[in-house]
Amino acid sequence: MKHVFHPSHPAGADRARVAPARAMAGEPPRKGDGPGTAVITRTKPQTKRPSLYRVLLLNDDYTPMEFVVHVLERFFSKNRDEANRIMLHVHHHGVGECGVFTYEVAETKVTQVMDFARKHQHPLQCVMEKK
């Protein structure tokens, strides 16, 4: 025997409420509309790219050029030629970009360079700025 829901039956009443709501939303009724069923909509979260920060070395008259090259190789993974090019740019223009990173990475690199310079008694300055 096939069971037929009637609007006066408690389960039928639920089905009667769900189906018109779907119809009003432009959706056709689905098999299983009734008690214990629900429509779940999933929204796709919007992800935003993190802000980027430039890490810069500032020129001074005391830090040896070879030390700056070493810093660029050690903390920024630059090869010898690239490190020399950046060091000369810092020397001639007063400032040079070591790399572009997310905030946390840039902050860590600035701290590492400043600590390393202080440890070796050099006044080298390293800063970060939003790109």
Side-chain angles (χ1 to χ4, degrees):
M1 179 168 122
K2 186 174 183 185
H3 187 70
V4 178
F5 286 99
H6 190 273
S8 63
H9 186 275
D14 286 342
R15 179 175 286 200
R17 282 193 299 268
V18 172
R22 283 225 176 100
M24 287 175 47
E27 294 182 35
R30 296 185 199 159
K31 185 177 181 180
D33 278 350
T37 61
V39 177
I40 298 173
T41 58
R42 188 176 300 179
T43 58
K44 187 174 182 181
Q46 293 292 333
T47 54
K48 190 175 113 178
R49 290 208 170 267
S51 297
L52 296 176
Y53 292 80
R54 299 170 65 207
V55 176
L56 308 169
L57 284 180
L58 307 179
N59 189 41
D60 64 73
D61 294 332
Y62 304 101
T63 304
M65 292 179 177
E66 192 55 41
F67 183 79
V68 175
V69 169
H70 179 68
V71 164
L72 290 163
E73 290 172 334
R74 179 173 178 164
F75 297 105
F76 299 97
S77 302
K78 302 296 182 187
N79 63 39
R80 191 67 152 181
D81 291 338
E82 183 72 4
N84 272 312
R85 189 189 66 72
I86 294 170
M87 177 273 298
L88 287 172
H89 189 275
V90 171
H91 181 70
H92 292 295
H93 297 95
V95 64
E97 182 179 282
C98 305
V100 178
F101 309 95
T102 59
Y103 180 84
E104 291 80 9
V105 174
E107 185 179 44
T108 300
K109 290 197 179 283
V110 167
T111 301
Q112 288 173 332
V113 169
M114 295 293 287
D115 290 348
F116 189 70
R118 296 300 155 265
K119 179 180 172 187
H120 290 86
Q121 300 177 343
H122 295 299
L124 181 64
Q125 293 292 302
C126 186
V127 296
M128 59 189 262
E129 69 176 25
K130 194 167 187 177
K131 185 167 180 171

